[in-house]
């Protein structure tokens, strides 16, 4: 039967369409019997109905083609027309078959021009023969291209490919959405909880509103045209797809109206079925159907024969719905469009009534939404409420972080990509709900703002021109350059100076230096020059001292780090002991210090799996902690970057993120690099290392600090846990047998290196040592670093003996990677804010370096994680040479021992939402086997929130805000 064709006359098509409409809304268990009864013994018609129902989720416009167009046979195409490896139109390489729908097949493909994976959707040959169908798809491309929104599927192009036999294949290229449709989710798991449904509806409304703002009516919105994509940050992204039937109502059009029945019958508004004038309210009707599906699992019953002129067009299912949900659905499904909500945004507002509602406002560009989430009270670990009036300030559709408040709490600055997806700029706005003003627009990342106490200006870090600090007026204008390489700038209480630091962001590398800079033209002054590391400074409440995280002396970072207070004149430096006390409470600060407000230090800290905003009593007169730290925020997500104003307003960022391991194949040929995800687990995956033979991948996985070591067999795809640990485990490296792993473990922040065979006890190699980076003699000797500043050493796994390979006075060396193919060692040299890659000859026969150090990267750029290709002819490394953390390559001539040609970009990560740049330096790694690079890529979502400190806490009113 699969290879036959079904004669489809106009009469049989009408019969088939009636069967489809009658059965479509029925439960799955009842469909087969209903189809059999309605087909009246016509087995071919019964089979056709089952096929059409199975393809319903991707056959949006198929059933609406007029019957006269389908007199020709309906082909039963079963075999995919394309196979993996096919390259069509000299551009798209087919990777795998994904799905089959009524219109055609869907494949994952590699776009050699965009250098990215895409979805390629073919159009069945017997459908593509109709020129009107092709025109319909051309319209889909045109309509979808005009809508730029994260909740609308991006459609790239419509292409016709002529095969060697002369046959034409029409296909669409579009954004690759990996997930399932909303309809599939409902069929598999049943109705959704209202709280979960609301989160999806918010996004669906955002996508539809973006189209409506441009005068575009979807006309075929339904649950099978909503893709649910797991973002990897603990959230689901809902994406509206298939604009093939979209109608532009932004301007009047002459000529006869389009044929009746355009849309999917079960979701069509009454005016669509009557072929009356169509507006955006038609999509709202379909939205009402979808909301009903989400909450009940079934569609409402349409009142076709007795449909009134006014009132509800359907009969609601017998299901216990909350009154507000039932009222919203009922209004969306009114017969007269004038009786529905004025817009889909108003329907969303009605779902959360009362004084504290989720507010949606259209932006001037494309209906980008601002979600001010309902007021809530945060309760932490059973303690009394710390914050009240907690509201989401920035929408989830943007990536916003690093808030900084003015002293009076009326102005907040933060970094956000709301103007350009993935590109962070500095924004400022009046509170509580003032207009957002974009202050910067450089393509490089602008982040970490500090607003002046009076709210009149903002200082920030930018990655442009190698990275540095800039100052800009709060009303906009040109930026003023302040200091090269500066990080985490903070205004003084009087607004006349800033404090900042320079150095490597990796907290295990002793490189931080503190500076104070007057803004009236003074030269920057370095503080605490005798410290091997000093970073993350904030001002004391009176502006006379600086609180910072620093290490004066020791053997390993961050074990030697503490919070210190230094006077501006340099005469006094005091160890507060705060970090030691926090460690006793198992609280570990995350990021910089939030600020010092009278007797309290505000910071973000991790305790167990939760990262929250905390305060620690540290009176400036005593300079030692009093009482236990107190948790202020909920810790429901990763809560960072706290900022406090005089009126008790607290701003902070809530981050959700995921880290997975990716493989970049063909990296020696930049034009054909192929990126693919290697790990998919919901937990975060860190420190990937691939064995030299390319067989085994080792990495750390788990929540918080307590991560296990996992190994993946890259041939079979099987993952297995190698080591369960109750301590932080970092930097695992594995040999070619898959049986030996060397890793770092930290007890009370002190690092040690262990070697372990599978199912055998671990053997400690050294204490105070860290970061095993690769093999010298595989399975026998391993490179690592030790000391302050660090040296590169080798450890013998059998004897436990160690010796120094490389050292340089005043510099930290690390990231050793040796090539057996060319007998050279790669390594990094860190001096202050500079990090440079070098190579040196290291023959295996002697085990000692020979000859001069060969500079691989320039001292003017920051570069890290250098790795050899399998043949020793290429070097791959991370660099910020273009203002972003991207992967670069460099040819190397083993015979001459010199680099060849210029560096080339292997993979750009310019979108901060999915990037290696958002990963902390200590969590990132890249590893190479042959011509494939393995690295962990971060996916991040962040929003800015505000709240008020509960006055029952008796928190003294702060006297300033950095």
């Amino acid at each position: 039967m699969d290879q036959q064709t079904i004669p489809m006359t106009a009469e049989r098509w009408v019969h088939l369409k009636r069967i489809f409409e009658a059965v479509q809304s029925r439960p799955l268990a009842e469909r087969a019997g209903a189809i059999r009864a309605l087909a009246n013994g016509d087995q071919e018609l019964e089979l056709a109905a089952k096929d059409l129902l199975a393809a319903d989720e991707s056959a949006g416009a198929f059933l609406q083609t007029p019957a006269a167009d389908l007199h020709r046979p309906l082909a039963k195409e079963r075999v995919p027309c394309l196979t993996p490896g096919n390259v069509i139109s000299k551009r798209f390489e087919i990777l795998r078959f994904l799905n089959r729908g009524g219109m055609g097949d869907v494949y994952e493909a590699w776009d050699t021009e965009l250098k990215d994976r895409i979805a390629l959707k073919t159009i069945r040959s017997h459908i593509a023969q109709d020129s009107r169908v092709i025109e319909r798809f051309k319209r889909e491309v045109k309509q979808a291209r005009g809508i730029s929104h994260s909740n609308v599927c991006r459609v790239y192009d419509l292409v016709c490919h002529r095969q060697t036999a002369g046959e034409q294949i029409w296909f669409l290229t579009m954004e690759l959405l990996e997930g399932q449709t909303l309809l599939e989710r409902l069929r598999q798991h049943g109705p959704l909880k209202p709280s979960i449904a609301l989160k999806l509806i918010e996004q669906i409304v955002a996508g539809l509103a973006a189209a409506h703002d441009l005068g575009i009516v979807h006309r075929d919105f339904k649950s099978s045209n909503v893709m649910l994509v797991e973002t990897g940050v603990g959230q689901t992204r809902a994406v509206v797809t298939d604009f093939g039937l979209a109608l532009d109502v932004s301007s009047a059009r002459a000529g006869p109206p389009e044929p009746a029945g355009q849309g999917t019958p079960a979701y069509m508004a009454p005016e669509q079925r009557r072929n009356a004038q169509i507006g955006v309210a038609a999509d709202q009707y379909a939205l009402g159907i979808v909301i009903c599906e989400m909450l009940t699992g079934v569609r409402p019953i349409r009142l076709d024969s007795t449909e009134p002129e006014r009132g509800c067009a359907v009969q609601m299912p017998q299901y216990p719905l909350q009154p507000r949900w039932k009222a919203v659905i009922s209004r969306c499904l009114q017969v007269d469009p004038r009786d529905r909500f004025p817009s889909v945004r108003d329907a969303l507002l009605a779902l959360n009534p009362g004084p504290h509602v989720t507010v949606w406002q259209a932006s001037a560009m494309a209906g980008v939404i601002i979600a001010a989430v309902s007021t809530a009270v945060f309760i932490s670990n059973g303690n009394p409420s710390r914050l009240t009036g907690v509201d989401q300030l920035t929408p989830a559709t943007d990536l916003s972080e690093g808030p900084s408040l003015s002293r009076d709490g009326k102005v907040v600055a933060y970094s956000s990509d709301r103007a350009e997806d993935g590109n962070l700029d500095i924004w400022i706005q009046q509170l509580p709900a003032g207009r957002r003003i974009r202050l910067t627009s450089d393509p490089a990342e602008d982040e970490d703002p500090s607003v002046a106490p009076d709210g009149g200006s903002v200082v920030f870090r930018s990655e442009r021109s190698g990275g540095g600090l800039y100052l800009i007026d709060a009303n906009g204008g040109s930026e003023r350059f302040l200091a090269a390489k500066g990080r985490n700038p903070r205004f003084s209480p009087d607004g006349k100076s800033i404090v900042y630091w320079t150095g490597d962001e990796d907290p295990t590398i002793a490189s931080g230096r503190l500076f104070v800079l007057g803004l009236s033209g003074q030269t920057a002054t370095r503080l605490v020059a005798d410290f091997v590391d000093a970073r993350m400074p904030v001002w004391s409440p009176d502006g006379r001292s600086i609180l910072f995280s620093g290490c004066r002396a020791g053997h390993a970072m961050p074990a030697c780090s503490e919070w210190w207070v230094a006077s501006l004149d340099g005469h006094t430096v005091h160890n507060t002991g705060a970090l030691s006390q926090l460690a006793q409470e198992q609280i570990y600060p995350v990021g910089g210090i939030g600020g010092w407000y009278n007797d309290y230090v505000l910071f973000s800290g991790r305790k167990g799996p939760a990262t929250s905003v905390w305060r620690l009593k540290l009176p400036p007169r005593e300079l030692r902690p009093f009482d236990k730290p107190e948790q202020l925020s909920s810790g429901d997500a990763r809560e960072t970057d706290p900022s406090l104003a005089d009126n008790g307003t607290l701003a902070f960022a809530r981050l959700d993120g995921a880290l997975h391991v990716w493989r970049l194949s063909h990296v020696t040929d930049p034009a054909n690099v192929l990126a693919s995800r290697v790990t998919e687990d919901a937990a975060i995956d860190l420190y990937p290392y691939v064995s030299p033979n390319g067989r085994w991948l080792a990495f750390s996985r788990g929540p918080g600090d307590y991560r296990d070591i996992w190994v993946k067999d890259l041939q079979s795809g099987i993952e297995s846990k190698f080591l369960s640990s109750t301590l932080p485990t970092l930097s695992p490296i594995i040999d070619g047998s898959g049986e030996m792993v060397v890793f770092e473990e930290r007890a009370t922040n002190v690092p040690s290196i262990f070697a372990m065979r599978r199912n055998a006890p671990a053997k400690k190699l050294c204490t105070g040592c860290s970061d095993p980076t690769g093999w010298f003699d595989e399975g026998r000797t391993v490179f690592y670093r030790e000391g302050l500043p660090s040296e590169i050493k080798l450890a013998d796994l059998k004897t436990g003996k160690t010796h120094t390979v490389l050292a340089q006075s005043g510099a930290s060396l690390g990231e050793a990677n040796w090539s057996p193919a060319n007998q050279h060692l790669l390594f990094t040299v860190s001096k202050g804010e500079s990090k440079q890659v070098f190579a040196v000859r290291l023959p295996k026969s002697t085990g000692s370096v020979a000859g001069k150090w060969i500079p691989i990267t320039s001292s003017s750029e920051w570069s890290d994680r250098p790795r050899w290709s399998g043949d020793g002819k290429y070097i791959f490394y991370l660099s910020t040479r273009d203002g972003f953390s991207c992967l670069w390559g460099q040819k190397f001539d083993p015979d001459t021992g010199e680099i060849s040609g210029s560096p080339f970009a292997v993979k750009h990560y310019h979108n901060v939402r999915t990037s290696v740049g958002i990963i902390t330096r200590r969590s990132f790694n890249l590893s190479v086997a042959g011509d494939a690079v393995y690295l962990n890529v971060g996916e991040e979502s962040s929003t800015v929130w505000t709240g008020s400190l509960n006055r029952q806490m008796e928190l003294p009113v702060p006297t300033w805000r950095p």
Side-chain angles (χ1 to χ4, degrees):
M1 182 67 90
D2 283 355
Q3 302 303 320
Q4 298 176 3
T5 60
I6 301 174
M8 189 60 63
T9 64
E11 292 77 14
R12 285 169 58 77
W13 174 254
V14 171
H15 193 180
L16 175 62
K17 189 174 180 181
R18 287 174 178 169
I19 294 175
F20 178 86
E21 292 180 14
V23 177
Q24 187 187 31
S25 60
R26 293 199 178 201
L28 288 177
E30 301 177 7
R31 289 186 175 185
I35 292 173
R36 190 176 302 111
L38 292 170
N40 296 323
D42 189 331
Q43 295 184 0
E44 291 182 340
L45 198 62
E46 182 180 340
L47 178 61
K50 290 180 179 178
D51 286 341
L52 290 175
L53 284 165
D56 178 33
E57 50 265 31
S58 39
F62 184 56
L63 288 175
Q64 288 67 60
T65 303
D69 296 337
L70 290 169
H71 289 177
R72 59 184 176 275
L74 179 63
K76 303 293 291 178
E77 302 175 51
R78 294 296 186 193
V79 179
C81 62
L82 302 173
T83 57
N86 287 160
V87 177
I88 60 177
S89 295
K90 299 180 180 181
R91 173 175 174 179
F92 305 101
E93 179 184 351
I94 303 300
L95 299 180
R96 60 180 172 133
F97 172 80
L98 293 178
N99 203 353
R100 172 171 290 113
M103 276 292 183
D105 297 335
V106 184
Y107 302 84
E108 179 183 347
W110 176 253
D111 187 332
T112 58
E113 290 188 13
L114 292 179
K115 304 298 181 190
D116 202 359
R117 297 182 302 156
I118 62 160
L120 189 149
K121 179 178 178 181
T122 64
I123 306 171
R124 297 200 187 284
S125 57
H126 69 279
I127 299 174
Q129 291 173 8
D130 190 332
S131 60
R132 286 172 292 182
V133 173
I134 298 303
E135 289 303 315
R136 175 182 300 168
F137 277 100
K138 288 180 180 178
R139 182 166 63 231
E140 176 175 358
V141 172
K142 182 178 180 181
Q143 305 284 19
R145 275 181 173 175
I147 309 169
S148 177
H149 197 281
S150 61
N151 298 116
V152 175
C153 179
R154 296 192 299 274
V155 178
Y156 303 129
D157 213 344
L158 175 67
V159 182
C160 180
H161 170 69
R162 187 177 298 275
Q163 295 183 304
T164 55
E167 181 184 357
Q168 286 185 333
I169 298 178
W170 283 91
F171 60 90
L172 284 163
T173 59
M174 60 186 67
E175 178 184 6
L176 179 64
L177 300 173
E178 297 183 280
Q180 61 181 168
T181 68
L182 175 58
L183 181 61
E184 290 171 333
R185 175 74 61 87
L186 295 173
R187 285 175 175 173
Q188 291 178 13
H189 302 290
L192 303 176
K193 294 180 180 178
S195 58
I196 297 175
L198 182 59
K199 292 180 180 179
L200 297 178
I201 293 167
E202 287 177 343
Q203 299 181 65
I204 291 169
V205 166
L208 289 175
H212 294 174
D213 288 344
L214 298 175
I216 296 174
V217 185
H218 191 292
R219 282 206 306 175
D220 196 26
F221 177 70
K222 55 187 177 182
S223 53
S224 61
N225 278 343
V226 176
M227 283 293 298
L228 303 181
V229 181
E230 300 304 321
T231 64
V233 294
Q235 296 181 349
T236 300
R237 173 185 167 211
V239 185
V240 180
T241 66
D242 287 349
F243 278 75
L245 292 181
L247 180 67
D248 189 347
V249 295
S250 59
S251 60
R253 296 191 301 176
E258 294 196 9
Q262 296 290 296
T264 300
Y267 299 84
M268 287 166 56
E271 62 268 26
Q272 280 182 274
R273 294 194 296 272
R274 295 194 304 265
N275 196 29
Q277 184 175 356
I278 302 295
V280 295
D283 286 345
Q284 186 184 136
Y285 180 95
L287 176 65
I289 299 288
V290 171
I291 294 175
C292 183
E293 284 182 304
M294 296 171 76
L295 296 177
T296 69
V298 297
R299 303 185 190 105
I301 301 172
R302 197 175 70 208
L303 304 174
D304 282 330
S305 57
T306 58
E307 189 175 281
E309 293 184 4
R310 302 293 288 265
C312 191
V314 301
Q315 177 182 324
M316 297 291 290
Q318 297 300 314
Y319 193 92
L321 290 175
Q322 295 178 15
R324 72 173 181 272
W325 286 91
K326 191 170 184 178
V328 168
I329 295 172
S330 177
R331 186 167 178 183
C332 287
L333 299 179
Q334 294 294 300
V335 172
D336 191 329
R338 295 171 296 181
D339 294 335
R340 299 170 201 157
F341 290 100
S343 74
V344 289
R345 294 190 182 94
D346 295 303
L348 180 61
L349 281 171
L351 288 177
N352 197 9
H356 305 297
V357 298
T358 302
V359 180
W360 293 79
Q361 298 177 344
S363 75
M365 294 181 61
V368 176
I369 329 162
I370 302 168
V373 175
S374 1
T375 299
V377 176
F378 279 22
I379 299 179
S380 308
N381 302 326
N383 294 329
S385 55
R386 297 295 195 258
L387 293 176
T388 60
V390 178
D391 289 319
Q392 185 174 329
L393 181 68
T394 62
T397 52
D398 305 340
L399 191 152
S400 305
E401 58 192 16
S404 173
L405 289 165
S406 61
R407 179 173 175 173
D408 59 10
K410 294 183 178 179
V411 174
V412 62
Y414 52 86
S415 58
S416 177
D417 71 344
R418 69 175 281 112
E420 298 178 59
D421 189 21
N423 177 31
L424 288 177
D425 294 308
I426 304 301
W427 293 73
I428 196 168
Q429 73 177 91
Q430 297 284 328
L431 293 178
R435 182 172 65 90
R436 293 166 171 81
I437 300 174
R438 183 186 186 186
L439 295 183
T440 68
S441 58
D442 194 272
E445 294 178 19
D446 297 333
E447 56 190 348
D448 202 10
S450 175
V451 66
D454 63 2
S457 57
V458 179
V459 62
F460 61 95
R461 158 86 180 191
S462 177
E463 296 302 327
R464 67 188 83 172
S465 303
L469 302 183
Y470 294 80
L471 180 72
I472 190 169
D473 189 272
N475 294 317
S478 58
E479 298 99 339
R480 171 187 162 193
F481 175 73
L482 295 179
K485 310 297 183 181
R487 301 184 186 277
N488 301 100
R490 294 294 180 263
F491 267 106
S492 61
D494 60 11
K496 297 180 180 179
S497 303
I498 62 168
V499 62
Y500 64 95
W501 70 283
T502 65
D504 197 307
E505 288 184 289
D506 188 339
T508 67
I509 296 178
S511 59
R513 299 178 180 180
L514 293 189
F515 295 89
V516 172
L517 174 65
L519 297 178
S520 56
Q522 293 95 327
T523 301
T525 301
R526 185 180 176 187
L527 301 179
V528 294
D530 59 326
F531 275 62
V532 295
D533 188 83
R535 60 183 66 208
M536 305 297 182
V538 296
W539 294 86
S540 64
D542 60 9
R544 297 178 181 177
S545 303
I546 302 296
L547 173 67
F548 65 96
S549 178
C551 177
R552 200 168 205 171
H555 299 289
M557 288 184 60
C560 65
S561 296
E562 254 298 351
W563 282 358
W564 298 72
V565 175
S567 61
L568 288 181
D569 58 16
H571 291 164
T572 60
V573 180
H574 184 83
N575 186 344
T576 68
L579 289 185
S580 298
Q581 178 170 326
L582 292 176
Q584 292 176 7
E585 302 291 335
Q586 296 184 322
I587 300 171
Y588 303 98
V590 174
I593 304 171
W596 195 357
Y597 307 96
N598 278 1
D599 289 349
Y600 292 89
V601 173
L602 207 63
F603 66 97
S604 174
R606 181 178 61 252
K607 184 171 186 177
T611 299
S612 315
V613 176
W614 298 75
R615 71 167 188 170
L616 179 66
K617 192 170 185 179
L618 186 69
R621 299 170 300 281
E622 304 292 338
L623 293 182
R624 65 184 181 88
F626 280 80
D627 303 326
K628 291 187 176 182
E630 295 180 86
Q631 184 176 341
L632 303 183
S633 64
S634 68
D636 292 338
R638 188 169 180 252
E639 295 159 347
T640 65
D641 305 328
S643 178
L644 185 65
D646 286 0
N647 62 1
T649 298
L650 179 69
F652 60 94
R654 301 191 74 184
L655 310 180
D656 286 299
L659 292 177
H660 294 296
V661 179
W662 287 70
R663 176 176 54 239
L664 303 179
S665 304
H666 316 305
V667 290
T668 57
D669 182 8
N672 292 298
V673 172
L674 180 63
S676 58
R677 185 181 287 176
V678 178
T679 63
E680 300 281 354
D681 195 86
I684 61 174
D685 298 330
L686 308 176
Y687 323 111
Y689 181 91
V690 63
S691 61
N693 61 5
R695 171 70 184 272
W696 307 96
L697 177 72
F699 55 94
S700 295
R701 168 181 287 170
D705 281 331
Y706 309 119
R707 299 187 176 96
D708 303 321
I709 293 178
W710 285 72
V711 172
K712 181 166 186 172
D713 185 337
L714 296 175
Q715 289 186 4
S716 67
I718 297 175
E719 295 180 356
S720 60
K721 187 182 293 186
F722 191 92
L723 169 68
S724 295
S725 178
T726 59
L727 293 172
T729 55
L730 305 84
S731 307
I733 67 172
I734 191 168
D735 70 354
S737 71
E739 297 296 317
M740 170 65 75
V741 171
V742 178
F743 60 94
E744 174 186 338
E745 190 172 77
R746 288 182 175 265
T748 62
N749 240 353
V750 177
S752 299
I753 293 179
F754 292 82
M756 177 179 174
R757 287 198 172 275
R758 191 183 293 271
N759 301 321
K763 175 184 177 182
K764 182 185 287 190
L765 298 180
C766 53
T767 298
C769 49
S770 64
D771 199 23
T773 52
W775 303 100
F776 181 57
D777 187 358
E778 188 180 358
R780 296 184 179 181
T781 53
V782 64
F783 291 103
Y784 67 97
R785 69 182 185 186
E786 185 176 37
L788 284 179
S790 59
E791 302 174 345
I792 293 175
K793 290 193 169 185
L794 266 176
D796 189 304
L797 273 58
K798 291 186 176 181
T799 66
K801 293 182 178 180
T802 66
H803 72 272
T804 299
V805 177
L806 280 175
Q808 186 182 73
S809 177
S812 289
L813 276 58
E815 296 303 323
N817 182 253
W818 185 72
S819 170
N822 65 26
Q823 307 281 297
H824 279 75
L825 181 72
L826 287 172
F827 59 98
T828 58
V829 178
S830 298
K831 292 182 178 180
E833 65 278 359
S834 172
K835 197 168 197 176
Q836 190 175 1
V837 174
F838 288 85
V840 67
R841 181 160 175 77
L842 179 60
K844 186 176 181 179
S845 58
T846 64
S848 300
V849 297
K852 63 180 182 179
W853 292 9
I854 308 163
I856 305 300
T857 63
S858 167
S859 60
S860 63
E861 67 177 282
W862 180 92
S863 47
D864 197 13
R865 304 299 196 271
R867 305 291 186 255
W868 290 110
S869 62
D871 60 9
K873 296 180 180 179
Y874 290 85
I875 300 166
F876 299 99
Y877 59 94
L878 200 67
S879 174
T880 57
R881 60 183 296 123
D882 63 353
F884 301 85
S885 293
C886 300
L887 184 64
W888 291 79
Q890 173 68 64
K891 287 186 177 181
F892 182 83
D893 188 337
D895 296 329
T896 63
E898 297 178 350
I899 58 175
S900 174
S902 300
F904 58 89
V906 176
K907 178 70 174 177
H908 286 295
Y909 291 99
H910 290 185
N911 189 321
V912 70
R913 295 178 186 235
T914 304
S915 171
V916 300
I918 61 178
I919 307 173
T920 60
R921 300 300 185 200
R922 196 65 187 96
S923 301
F924 173 79
N925 193 36
L926 67 87
S927 181
V928 181
D931 68 345
V933 169
Y934 293 78
L935 72 171
N936 50 331
V937 178
E939 301 163 78
E940 183 177 76
S941 170
S942 62
T943 48
V944 173
W945 294 65
T946 60
S948 297
L949 287 176
N950 191 334
R951 288 304 180 187
Q952 294 179 356
M953 295 174 60
E954 299 180 357
L955 178 68
V957 176
T959 58
W960 66 280
R961 164 67 187 105

